[in-house]
């Protein structure tokens, strides 16, 4: 970072700095990009609105899906086929093949950066990694760390590597809006620093790696940081987003009556290793729903649980893991969360319900993280590469963050290698946005846009969000987040209302069947000149990559 000269800006700016690359977010994708561009000799600065490890990556339990060739019968092609099957016909097949093929190298580089995965306990001495299985996977191919603490180990290793290399990582800094020149090129970021002072970070490349928007819903596996800021920022900068209606609900979070906000995940690997789902009468209900029963893709399991809750009038179903050996050591995170609410998963079934978990869509990028806006890149959950389609296959997300993070770094380095465009005068207009109260948005989305949506519920949610929305200028982190959540609510509701079919994790009770007239058609959202989200049915319609 170097100090920078005065701005031609409209808004007061307390400080300015510049770098070659600004990365927003310090999870698996953001730190992979940052470490790689630094290795390429570029000056990078990472901004993250909270502590370095406060994003979604830390909370990921299950693992990283990857085929490295040491599981008999498993191949990259099978992993591709499982990803396409889970994605309900909406994946970009070329992106799927390309990203999954990049997995082995990406995991090897992560291990070289110090991440330690669990060894296979049956091998003496251990010579290969342990594997687990999750919903929709036809093989045991998911590598994990710390039993069920894979994300925490990845985050630990990347943060430690970044610290060891002296990578500038600005915690408590909130990305407010993109700086753009007269040609629409992104030239940096408007940022609130850790004292709330507005400033400008100038850079010819801005990489968004700020995660998803689970906090749009009242109950989610996502931490408080997952407020969709990056997608909102990209939309305002002229980028397109797609597949926003495909919010993945994880089938099994720990149920505590009346609890909301971030809920403890019960990793799908618990089912992968034999746990069974039971209803109030102690009956298995996934048999007959899908040939893989409890290990069906998670959209199928989440929808079946939701139906069973309605049929039985209960608030939760139960996950019986009492038959599993060594539960406490294999799943220490889940074990501790259960014990904290007085449940012993070794001797009794775990009460579980679905909750919002993952944004399958996001900012439209190619597999190298490029958006259609010059100077703006995205990687990880914030982006939509086409890997996930209508429903993400379990444990493909850390993989995508690693693979696309590395490729985005290469794309940035290549794009900055040529002559750099001379930025014109950059103005920082104050961000003025619709802002609704968070609890109102979460209640409206949970009621009208959860699992099992219909036209009336979606319209009621839109009305509730609109009625609560005031136009203002966010002056702090909470305001920036609320503005993002408000825009995301409008965009998700618009896309979910337009998709009059059920596909993947978008379940319409008024259109219960898949309608293959929709095959291959992603819904794209961009902002109109007034800043309102508009739905297009073709990627090309908004000039997306
Ligand atoms: C889980 O461990 O069940 C979640 C993994 C994922 O979302 O990919």
């Amino acid at each position: 970072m170097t100090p920078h000269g005065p701005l031609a800006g409209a808004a007061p700016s307390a400080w300015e700095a510049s770098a070659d690359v600004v990365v927003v977010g310090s999870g698996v994708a953001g730190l992979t990009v940052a470490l790689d561009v630094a290795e390429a000799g570029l000056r990078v600065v990472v901004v993250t609105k909270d502590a370095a490890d406060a994003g979604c990556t830390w909370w990921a339990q299950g693992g990283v899906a990857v085929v490295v060739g040491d599981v008999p019968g498993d191949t990259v092609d099978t992993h591709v086929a499982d990803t396409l099957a889970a994605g309900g016909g909406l994946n970009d097949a070329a992106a799927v093949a390309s990203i999954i093929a990049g997995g082995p190298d990406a995991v090897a580089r992560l291990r070289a950066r110090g991440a330690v995965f669990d060894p296979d306990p049956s091998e003496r001495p251990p010579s290969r990694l342990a594997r687990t299985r999750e919903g929709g996977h036809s093989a045991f191919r998911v590598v994990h760390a710390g039993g069920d603490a894979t994300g925490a180990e990845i985050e630990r290793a990347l943060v430690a590597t970044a610290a060891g290399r002296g990578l500038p990582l600005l915690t408590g800094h909130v990305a407010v809006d993109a700086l753009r020149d007269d040609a629409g090129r992104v030239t940096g970021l408007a940022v609130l620093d850790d004292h709330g002072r507005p400033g400008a970070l100038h850079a010819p490349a801005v990489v968004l790696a700020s995660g998803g928007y689970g906090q749009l819903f009242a109950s989610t596996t996502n931490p408080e940081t997952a407020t969709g800021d990056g997608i909102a920022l990209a939309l305002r900068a002229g980028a397109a987003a797609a597949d926003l209606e495909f919010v993945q609900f994880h089938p099994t979070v720990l149920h505590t009556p009346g609890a909301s906000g971030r809920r403890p995940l019960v990793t799908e690997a618990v089912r992968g290793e034999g746990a069974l789902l039971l209803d109030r009468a102690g009956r298995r209900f996934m048999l007959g729903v899908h040939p893989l029963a409890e290990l069906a893709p998670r959209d199928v399991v989440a929808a079946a649980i939701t139906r069973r809750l309605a049929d039985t009038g209960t608030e939760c179903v139960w996950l019986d893991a009492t038959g599993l050996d060594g539960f406490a050591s294999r799943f220490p995170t889940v074990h501790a969360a259960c014990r904290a609410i007085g449940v012993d998963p070794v001797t009794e079934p775990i009460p579980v319900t679905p909750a919002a978990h993952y944004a399958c869509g996001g900012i439209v990028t190619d597999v190298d993280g490029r958006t259609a806006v010059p100077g703006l890149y995205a990687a990880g959950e914030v982006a939509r590469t086409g890997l996930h389609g209508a429903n993400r296959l379990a444990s493909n997300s850390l993989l995508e963050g690693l693979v696309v993070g590395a490729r985005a770094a290469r794309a940035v380095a290549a794009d900055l290698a040529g002559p750099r465009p001379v930025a014109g005068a950059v103005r920082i207009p104050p961000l003025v946005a619709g802002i609704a109260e968070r609890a109102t948005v979460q209640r409206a989305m949970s009621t009208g846009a959860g699992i099992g949506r219909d036209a009336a519920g979606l319209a009621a949610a839109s009305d509730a969000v609109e009625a609560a929305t005031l136009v203002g200028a966010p002056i702090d982190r909470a305001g920036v987040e609320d503005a993002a959540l408000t825009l995301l609510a409008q965009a998700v509701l618009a896309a979910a209302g337009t998709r009059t079919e059920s596909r993947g994790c978008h379940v319409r009770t008024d259109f219960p069947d898949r309608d293959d007239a929709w095959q291959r058609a992603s819904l794209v959202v961009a902002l109109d000149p007034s800043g309102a989200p508009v739905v297009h049915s073709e990627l090309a319609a908004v000039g997306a990559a």
Side-chain angles (χ1 to χ4, degrees), residues 61-62 134 250 265-269 298 357 392 394-397:
Q61 292 187 2
E134 293 182 73
H250 196 288
L265 181 66
V266 179
T267 174
E268 212 159 86
R298 62 176 60 145
H357 182 57
R392 176 180 62 94
S395 288
N396 268 355
S397 46

Side-chain angles (χ1 to χ4, degrees), residues 57-79:
T57 296
W58 193 91
W59 296 95
Q61 292 187 2
V64 184
V66 65
V67 177
V68 296
D70 60 356
V71 173
D74 195 18
T75 63
V76 167
D77 287 349
T78 326
H79 186 182

